[in-house]
Amino acid sequence: MVAAFKERLRQINPGYVKFHTLQTLQLNLGDRCNLSCRHCHVGASPRGEKVMGREVMETVAALLTRRPGTILDITGGCPELNPLFRHLVEMTAGLSPRRMVRSNLTVIDEPGMEWLTRFYREQGLVIVASLPCYQEENVDRQRGGGVFGRSIAALQQLNAMGYGKELELNLVYNPGGDFVAGSQRHLEAAYKKELLERYGIHFNNLFTITNAPIGRFREYLEAQGAYDRYLNQLATRFNPDAAGNIMCRTLVSVDWKGFLYNCDFNQAIGLPITGDDGSILKIDDLESAARTGTDLFLAQHCYCCTAGEGSSCTGALAV
Ligand code: SF4
Ligand code: SF4
């Protein structure tokens, strides 16, 4: 039996189960994606029907105007496939010191997306791109046939535009199965060597992200009879040094309808931030959701954030 995650954190420091300060607003533009990866925690696919609309985006832009130091982290699904993606990016220009887009890279060569890489550059977006391995067979097994080759071509195109040099390009590694990532520093060195030697690719940082046992990845674990073993593994590898740095202490996640969550994983399992009266908070309630000392909504899947070196949307937490 795995101990309750929240209690485990509280025992180390009661402050660790509470919100600290808002640094990052993460927007999930919906579950539409050109891929259908095996580990996808949001269950995204080309059939995704959740699509963030104009009203939520405009509220976000107004919020950024009032909170000018807030980092904007744009994710999905495949955020670029939201028909209002360009509108959102143009509307938030100059309102945030750092705007990140989580790209699956393959969207770059989809028909009708020829404008995309130039647009990234013109808008000065930071690219955070999924590449779960530098070996073709591992990427294609996890993400689908041909994805590795398309990703490499996209990275070369981004490099040619200055990404990985004067513009920031970060890659995301996630384990290809039910295990915890190794050292982020060592993996980054291996990625840099292999991608440069084989394909001439440069990038800035590698973020290691542990798979959360939810969504399509949970279904996969259950089909293998490996769910309990994986959760146990995460709990056994609990790292107290990562515990105080869990990203939900400084990040709020917004879904396509404007509802608020402590992170994208909570969003995927339908565990929203609620107010004192039990109502689900929306983007207009951000000030109360992001108040210092507010309780976080934590559950057992949270062990993915504290295993090994820890894990967050910007990589390891205790390196
Ligand atoms: S993991 Fe990313 S690229 Fe793969 S289906 Fe999910 S949203 Fe799309
Ligand atoms: S899964 Fe989300 S809520 Fe849980 S510890 Fe990680 S960031 Fe926080």
Side-chain angles (χ1 to χ4, degrees):
M1 177 81 174
V2 173
F5 179 80
K6 193 165 187 173
E7 270 319 297
R8 200 147 176 199
L9 240 57
R10 206 195 310 267
Q11 280 166 12
I12 301 171
N13 184 332
Y16 289 178
V17 301
K18 296 182 183 295
F19 193 79
H20 189 260
T21 342
L22 184 69
Q23 290 174 2
T24 303
L25 197 61
Q26 189 175 65
L27 295 190
N28 188 314
L29 302 197
D31 65 351
R32 191 171 291 169
C33 187
N34 55 326
L35 302 182
S36 311
C37 305
R38 192 172 75 179
H39 66 288
C40 185
H41 69 272
V42 296
S45 77
R47 295 178 305 284
E49 288 180 350
K50 299 172 181 168
V51 178
M52 184 180 283
R54 193 177 293 267
E55 200 180 323
V56 177
M57 292 178 180
E58 283 172 359
T59 310
V60 167
L63 267 168
L64 292 175
T65 310
R66 295 201 296 277
R67 285 182 167 262
T70 309
I71 294 167
L72 186 63
D73 184 343
I74 305 171
T75 186
C78 174
E80 299 95 330
L81 292 182
N82 180 308
L84 293 173
F85 171 74
R86 289 173 78 137
H87 175 66
L88 170 73
V89 172
E90 283 165 354
M91 194 171 38
T92 55
L95 300 182
S96 164
R98 181 173 169 83
R99 295 182 302 157
M100 298 188 276
V101 173
R102 295 187 181 267
S103 172
N104 70 23
L105 293 173
T106 60
V107 68
I108 287 171
D109 74 3
E110 287 289 334
M113 300 302 282
E114 296 75 15
W115 52 274
L116 188 57
T117 48
R118 186 178 300 275
F119 182 71
Y120 288 150
R121 185 179 65 181
E122 282 167 4
Q123 290 289 328
L125 298 174
V126 172
I127 305 295
V128 181
S130 318
L131 191 72
C133 191
Y134 48 76
Q135 286 179 330
E136 183 168 4
E137 59 271 30
N138 292 340
V139 172
D140 285 1
R141 194 177 328 118
Q142 190 177 103
R143 297 172 83 77
V147 168
F148 182 79
R150 294 172 67 193
S151 303
I152 292 298
L155 287 170
Q156 288 167 333
Q157 196 180 327
L158 287 168
N159 274 176
M161 298 209 135
Y163 274 101
K165 294 168 189 148
E166 67 269 20
L167 287 158
E168 194 175 331
L169 171 63
N170 302 313
L171 299 185
V172 172
Y173 161 88
N174 65 280
D178 52 352
F179 57 92
V180 176
S183 151
Q184 180 171 276
R185 194 159 44 86
H186 291 158
L187 265 170
E188 180 180 284
Y191 262 70
K192 285 199 163 156
K193 179 174 181 298
E194 296 293 330
L195 290 179
L196 185 62
E197 284 179 6
R198 295 188 203 182
Y199 308 106
I201 289 171
H202 296 269
F203 68 96
N204 297 92
N205 306 293
L206 181 76
F207 299 156
T208 56
I209 301 187
T210 302
N211 294 317
I214 61 173
R216 203 176 280 147
F217 186 59
R218 178 173 179 151
E219 287 165 18
Y220 161 77
L221 290 171
E222 286 176 341
Q224 308 290 314
Y227 175 77
D228 289 338
R229 190 178 65 224
Y230 184 63
L231 193 62
N232 263 305
Q233 182 192 172
L234 296 180
T236 307
R237 300 280 313 276
F238 179 82
N239 180 351
D241 292 337
N245 296 330
I246 49 175
M247 66 178 166
C248 48
R249 300 194 65 214
T250 55
L251 172 149
V252 170
S253 155
V254 185
D255 79 2
W256 67 289
K257 283 182 164 172
F259 290 110
L260 302 183
Y261 302 79
N262 285 133
C263 72
D264 205 53
F265 297 141
N266 284 12
Q267 186 179 137
I269 62 168
L271 181 61
I273 301 176
T274 52
D276 296 339
D277 61 357
S279 60
I280 301 176
L281 300 188
K282 280 196 89 172
I283 184 74
D284 303 298
D285 309 310
L286 183 70
E287 298 305 328
S288 30
R291 221 178 15 230
T292 305
T294 303
D295 267 346
L296 299 171
F297 292 80
L298 304 170
Q300 296 306 74
H301 66 284
C302 297
Y303 274 110
C304 68
C305 295
T306 51
E309 291 187 350
S311 173
S312 75
C313 286
T314 47
L317 299 172
V319 285

